[in-house]
Amino acid sequence: MVDCYIKRTMRLIKTIKQMRQWAERRRRGKTIGFVPTMGALHEGHRSLMRAARRRCDAVVVSIFVNPAQFGPNEDYARYPRDLKGDAALCRREKVDVLFMPTAETVYPEGHDTKILVGRIGEVLEGAVRPGHFSGVATVVAKLFQIVRPQIAFFGQKDYQQTVVIKRLVRDLNFPVKIVVCPTVREKDGLAMSSRNRYLSSEERNASRVLFKALQKGRERIQEGERDSAAVRDAMTLLIQEQPPARIEYAAIVHPDTLMEVTQIEGPVVLLLAVWIGKTRLIDNLLVKP
Ligand code: AMP
């Protein structure tokens, strides 16, 4: 029975059929809140579960390391997996259902449909990780169909992902409200991420530079700098001073369209993707001048 129940209170479901049956029964008059994740859960995920708990009658968390959103040379095989720790954390957060389908369940033999994301999925992350957002959108659409939540919770940590998902929901008419929760950070500012566990202690030190650079960018804007090239230079200079850090992109974009901004006149998002040794980290900050 370990497969079906963990300490009576939380259901562990692995099949689509069971997940659908649960949602069908539970949905009548009740709000289902959904938190999709790839596991190796941390405080960032936990904040989404808490937001869901506050707003919904029932909370479903999924853990699925989605092969479709990883490129051929990315870390799919070594992505951290910690079922026991994750289940315990979900139980502590009073999650009702932990949905953990296998890759074969989600993508059975012959699966041949993908969601194509337009320009907003082709810039920034999409430019360096081709097909990434198609993989994300496809799996999120599938999960929405299976779990049938009224509200789904995503982290601002993956800013572009929130824009892509909001657009997906709008364009394909999903009856799901998307709630974006603030980025949870370590005390020194590093955004929490499952990938932080790849960092050596020296790299962990160096990784603080991402948030420092974002803060520097914000500071420059708040001091009155309106030329986004100057703001970007201030951020990149700081990162370049940190030897194991290598910038993949540093961008200043419009929060909804993700179009590059040259003159800062309204709210912008500062976005960074930086390699620290062999680990790729992303972070962002929404700034209102
Ligand atoms: P992941 O397991 O990395 O796919 O993340 C699952 C969800 O948790 C996504 O909506 C992420 O944006 C969100 N998330 C990851 N890290 C954080 C964080 N540090 N703060 C807030 N949300 C986060």
Side-chain angles (χ1 to χ4, degrees):
M1 287 308 279
V2 174
D3 247 24
C4 298
Y5 291 95
I6 295 179
K7 292 222 170 126
R8 266 182 287 134
T9 49
M10 185 177 76
R11 279 196 76 173
L12 176 63
I13 295 182
K14 291 186 175 174
T15 70
I16 290 171
K17 190 173 168 202
Q18 275 187 325
M19 188 65 244
R20 277 180 166 284
Q21 282 171 345
W22 181 92
E24 203 60 48
R25 278 200 307 275
R26 188 44 91 89
R27 218 169 179 269
R28 297 186 191 120
K30 298 257 164 79
T31 316
I32 298 178
F34 179 42
V35 180
T37 82
M38 297 205 298
L41 302 176
H42 50 68
E43 288 298 316
H45 298 113
R46 204 169 188 167
S47 73
L48 304 185
M49 293 177 204
R50 289 185 176 172
R53 189 77 275 165
R54 280 196 298 276
R55 295 182 63 148
C56 306
D57 301 309
V59 178
V60 178
V61 172
S62 66
I63 296 182
F64 180 61
V65 185
N66 176 31
Q69 70 188 69
F70 287 80
N73 299 316
E74 294 182 1
D75 56 347
Y76 174 70
R78 70 177 190 121
Y79 194 84
R81 290 159 171 92
D82 175 16
L83 169 58
K84 240 175 134 185
D86 287 350
L89 186 147
C90 290
R91 200 163 51 231
R92 282 201 299 280
E93 294 304 323
K94 301 190 171 47
V95 165
D96 295 276
V97 174
L98 176 53
F99 179 45
M100 293 193 49
T102 62
E104 295 71 35
T105 306
V106 176
Y107 301 111
E109 188 68 31
H111 187 284
D112 200 20
T113 303
K114 272 185 200 164
I115 289 179
L116 191 64
V117 183
R119 196 197 60 84
I120 52 161
E122 287 162 1
V123 295
L124 303 163
E125 285 293 287
V128 281
R129 305 182 69 188
H132 171 69
F133 286 115
S134 169
V136 170
T138 303
V139 83
V140 169
K142 284 170 70 80
L143 289 168
F144 281 179
Q145 295 287 24
I146 297 164
V147 177
R148 299 190 54 218
Q150 286 93 338
I151 315 184
F153 297 80
F154 292 84
Q156 194 196 315
K157 158 76 169 47
D158 299 281
Y159 187 84
Q160 191 175 1
Q161 175 169 276
T162 67
V163 177
V164 167
I165 300 297
K166 283 184 194 162
R167 187 69 66 91
L168 166 80
V169 160
R170 198 188 79 182
D171 289 352
L172 297 187
N173 310 98
F174 279 96
V176 182
K177 179 179 170 54
I178 303 302
V179 173
V180 178
C181 300
T183 302
V184 178
R185 300 180 178 281
E186 302 283 358
K187 280 202 185 74
D188 63 5
L190 176 65
M192 293 206 181
S193 163
S194 308
R195 290 187 168 101
N196 291 352
R197 49 182 96 182
Y198 297 152
L199 300 167
S200 69
S201 66
E202 191 195 332
E203 289 169 343
R204 171 65 188 77
N205 250 333
S207 63
R208 288 184 297 186
V209 78
L210 273 89
F211 189 52
K212 280 195 181 153
L214 292 171
Q215 286 176 303
K216 171 62 96 186
R218 178 172 60 189
E219 197 183 295
R220 293 297 302 271
I221 294 170
Q222 285 170 349
E223 284 165 2
E225 182 60 76
R226 293 293 172 263
D227 176 13
S228 82
V231 176
R232 200 174 37 242
D233 286 351
M235 297 198 296
T236 54
L237 258 176
L238 206 75
I239 299 170
Q240 281 156 0
E241 281 167 13
Q242 195 69 53
R246 187 170 58 77
I247 300 169
E248 192 153 69
Y249 63 76
I252 300 176
V253 304
H254 184 281
D256 303 324
T257 62
L258 304 181
M259 295 282 253
E260 292 262 0
V261 169
T262 42
Q263 198 64 17
I264 301 168
E265 277 152 8
V268 289
V269 194
L270 316 181
L271 291 144
L272 287 176
V274 176
W275 286 92
I276 305 284
K278 287 194 166 74
T279 304
R280 185 175 183 276
L281 300 178
I282 57 169
D283 200 353
N284 67 85
L285 206 56
L286 189 61
V287 181
K288 293 178 182 147

